Amino acid sequence: FFFDLSNLSNITYKDTGTIEGFSTSLINLSDGYLLGIGRGDDWSSFKVEVYEEAEKDIVSVCSYELKNTSYSTEYKSYYVDRKNNLIGIGIIANEYSSLGQRSKYILLHFDGYELVELVNVALNGNPANMRGVYIDGYMYMFGEDDFKVEKVFD
């Protein structure tokens, strides 16, 4: 369910139907879109989903999911750029190989129809301690003891 608490004298809700997984954070993105960051259909997956508020309900527009992946549940570690519809977050890919766990930073772009992965780079440290910022076409991403810069848009 989606609860509207903007008027405490008239709290309303809308049904979201059945959506696989759950969100640990729900964030107002832009233009009536709601961003959910959380788990997919199992506890070992990471999922970002965009919802749109319709007249009587909330509908899923698109989603991005990675299996065998952990993520930060710290809201302050997320990068949400409403003007450019960018979402940045640190993750840990639990790859079953000699490499073990690999921490990364990803940047997604919501183009109005789908979530597109623009950046996926290795970055050291706990995802809760990773940060990112977008400036003039470049994404600056900071890990615990390293940083990366990637050109995103021309």
Side-chain angles (χ1 to χ4, degrees):
F1 293 96
F2 172 74
F3 291 90
D4 183 351
L5 304 175
S6 60
N7 179 353
L8 296 180
S9 302
N10 185 26
I11 296 173
T12 60
Y13 71 92
K14 293 183 179 183
D15 188 356
T16 60
T18 301
I19 298 172
E20 294 294 327
F22 65 91
S23 298
T24 54
S25 290
L26 288 171
I27 304 163
N28 182 5
L29 188 56
S30 65
D31 299 326
Y33 292 106
L34 185 65
L35 177 69
I37 298 174
R39 297 280 178 205
D41 59 358
D42 66 59
W43 279 89
S44 66
S45 66
F46 162 68
K47 183 177 178 183
V48 177
E49 191 158 9
V50 177
Y51 308 98
E52 185 174 28
E53 186 175 1
E55 183 67 30
K56 296 185 179 193
D57 57 1
I58 303 295
V59 295
S60 174
V61 176
C62 62
S63 65
Y64 171 93
E65 188 168 355
L66 296 173
K67 299 290 185 185
N68 299 317
T69 302
S70 303
Y71 69 103
S72 171
T73 57
E74 295 285 333
Y75 177 78
K76 65 184 176 181
S77 68
Y78 304 155
Y79 178 75
V80 179
D81 179 339
R82 289 169 180 86
K83 179 181 175 191
N84 296 299
N85 286 331
L86 297 172
I87 303 98
I89 187 169
I91 62 169
I92 294 179
N94 298 315
E95 297 171 349
Y96 300 106
S97 69
S98 61
L99 298 174
Q101 295 181 334
R102 294 182 45 208
S103 56
K104 301 178 180 183
Y105 193 90
I106 60 169
L107 180 68
L108 304 174
H109 176 249
F110 176 60
D111 65 7
Y113 303 100
E114 64 183 338
L115 286 163
V116 179
E117 183 182 278
L118 298 179
V119 174
N120 184 333
V121 297
L123 201 60
N124 294 335
N126 181 336
N129 298 329
M130 294 180 185
R131 300 293 185 269
V133 64
Y134 172 76
I135 302 171
D136 294 333
Y138 291 87
M139 189 67 187
Y140 298 82
M141 298 151 288
F142 303 90
E144 290 182 0
D145 61 0
D146 66 339
F147 73 95
K148 303 278 173 66
V149 178
E150 294 281 330
K151 187 170 183 73
V152 178
F153 297 117
D154 291 323

